[in-house]
C-alpha cells in the first residue's frame, strides 16, 4: 500500500533553514510527482509547489520563490523540501502529497510541525 | 491566480442530514477539482477527484458534481465520523489553490 512518511518535528530560530523529508513506499517513485502544502495553526491549506520526480522540474508558488527548494532522491524514494530564511509566520505543519500535476493529490504524509521561535 | 471560494465557511448539521458544500472558481477549471476531508490533527484525505470521481476506498455517501466554475460536494447521510473540515482544490492551472474550507459541526 502507498505510504508517505515524513521526518519529525523541528524547532528553528528566525533566519535559519529547515529541510523536511518525505519517504515514499508501495509504488514506483518516479511515476508521480510530489506537492508540498503547509497549514499554519488554525488556518487553511496553502500550496507551496510541486516537483517532477522523473526529471526534477519544479513549480513553486510565487510567495516561496527564492526561499524554497524541492528535491528528490530516487535511490531512496524520498522527496525533500527546504525552506530558508525562516520567519515566525513560517510556523506551520508541512505536508507532502503524491501527485498534484496532471494527477490530483491523493496520498498525503502525516505532516511535519515546524516551529520558528527565538 | 484562480480563486476558490467555498460556502458556507461552517455549517451545523445532525447525524442523518444531507449536507451540501459549494465551491466556486474565479475562472473555468473544467473538471480539475479535488475535495479533501481533514480532521483535527490529521492530514487531509482525498475524497473526490476530477470533480465527481470517488477516490478508492471512500464510501459512496460522498458525491461530487459540477464543471467549469461551480462545484458541489454532497454527503448523503451525515455520520459521526463525517464531522470535519472540507476543502476544495483546483489542479487546472498553477499555482494550485485551495478553497478556504467548510467546517461541518
Amino acid at each position: 500500500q502507498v505510504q508517505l512518511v515524513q521526518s519529525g518535528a523541528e524547532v528553528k530560530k528566525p533566519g535559519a533553514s529547515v529541510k523536511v523529508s518525505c519517504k515514499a513506499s508501495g509504488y514506483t517513485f518516479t511515476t508521480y510527482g510530489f506537492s508540498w502544502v503547509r497549514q499554519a495553526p488554525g488556518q487553511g491549506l496553502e500550496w507551496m509547489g510541486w516537483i517532477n520526480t522523473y526529471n526534477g522540474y519544479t513549480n513553486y508558488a510565487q510567495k516561496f520563490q527564492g526561499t524554497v527548494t524541492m528535491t528528490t532522491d530516487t535511490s531512496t524514494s524520498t522527496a525533500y523540501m527546504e525552506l530558508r530564511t525562516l520567519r515566525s509566520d513560517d510556523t506551520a505543519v508541512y505536508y507532502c502529497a503524491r501527485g498534484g500535476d496532471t494527477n490530483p493529490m491523493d496520498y498525503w504524509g502525516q505532516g511535519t510541525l515546524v516551529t520558528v521561535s527565538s | 491566480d484562480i480563486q476558490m471560494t467555498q460556502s458556507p465557511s461552517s455549517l451545523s448539521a445532525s447525524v442523518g442530514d444531507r449536507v451540501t458544500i459549494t465551491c466556486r472558481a474565479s475562472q473555468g477549471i473544467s473538471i480539475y477539482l479535488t475535495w479533501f476531508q481533514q480532521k483535527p490533527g490529521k492530514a487531509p484525505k482525498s475524497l473526490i477527484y476530477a470533480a465527481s470521481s470517488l477516490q478508492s476506498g471512500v464510501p459512496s455517501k460522498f458525491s461530487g458534481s459540477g464543471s467549469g466554475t461551480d462545484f458541489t460536494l454532497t454527503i448523503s447521510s451525515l455520520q459521526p465520523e463525517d464531522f470535519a473540515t472540507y476543502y476544495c482544490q483546483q489542479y487546472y492551472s498553477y499555482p494550485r489553490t485551495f478553497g478556504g474550507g467548510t467546517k461541518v459541526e
Side-chain angles (χ1 to χ4, degrees):
Chain A
Q1 71 284 20
V2 175
Q3 275 195 304
L4 303 180
V5 179
Q6 297 185 222
S7 48
E10 303 262 13
V11 179
K12 297 291 183 181
K13 293 194 182 304
S17 299
V18 69
K19 192 169 186 177
V20 178
S21 67
C22 172
K23 184 170 176 59
S25 60
Y27 71 100
T28 302
F29 184 71
T30 52
T31 56
Y32 292 85
F34 272 88
S35 300
W36 289 89
V37 175
R38 77 178 186 180
Q39 186 170 39
Q43 301 302 307
L45 301 170
E46 180 177 28
W47 182 81
M48 298 180 68
W50 174 84
I51 182 166
N52 183 317
T53 53
Y54 183 76
N55 59 19
Y57 171 80
T58 54
N59 191 314
Y60 299 143
Q62 180 78 17
K63 175 177 181 176
F64 300 103
Q65 291 275 0
T67 59
V68 73
T69 301
M70 296 175 188
T71 56
T72 61
D73 181 344
T74 55
S75 69
T76 59
S77 298
T78 303
Y80 298 92
M81 186 282 299
E82 181 180 31
L83 191 60
R84 299 177 294 279
T85 321
L86 290 167
R87 301 163 18 141
S88 58
D89 59 2
D90 290 316
T91 294
V93 177
Y94 290 77
Y95 294 102
C96 62
R98 191 181 77 163
D101 188 41
T102 53
N103 296 310
M105 297 179 210
D106 50 10
Y107 292 91
W108 292 61
Q110 82 276 19
T112 297
L113 175 62
V114 175
T115 302
V116 182
S117 174
S118 55
Chain B
D1 298 3
I2 297 176
Q3 307 303 315
M4 306 300 292
T5 303
Q6 283 183 239
S7 60
S9 56
S10 66
L11 66 90
S12 181
S14 300
V15 172
D17 284 352
R18 180 182 181 88
V19 170
T20 298
I21 298 168
T22 66
C23 179
R24 175 165 287 177
S26 61
Q27 63 188 76
I29 60 169
S30 185
I31 60 167
Y32 293 96
L33 184 103
T34 301
W35 287 98
F36 298 101
Q37 175 194 65
Q38 187 179 33
K39 296 181 180 178
K42 298 295 186 182
K45 173 187 175 182
S46 176
L47 299 176
I48 302 281
Y49 65 96
S52 62
S53 296
L54 205 62
Q55 197 64 254
S56 176
V58 173
S60 59
K61 60 181 171 182
F62 292 98
S63 63
S65 65
S67 68
T69 60
D70 294 310
F71 302 86
T72 60
L73 172 70
T74 300
I75 309 170
S76 60
S77 177
L78 197 69
Q79 297 303 304
E81 64 270 20
D82 302 328
F83 290 92
T85 300
Y86 293 84
Y87 294 93
C88 60
Q89 181 247 331
Q90 64 82 17
Y91 57 106
Y92 178 79
S93 70
Y94 286 103
R96 304 314 196 209
T97 45
F98 290 89
T102 297
K103 187 174 184 178
V104 177
E105 51 193 356

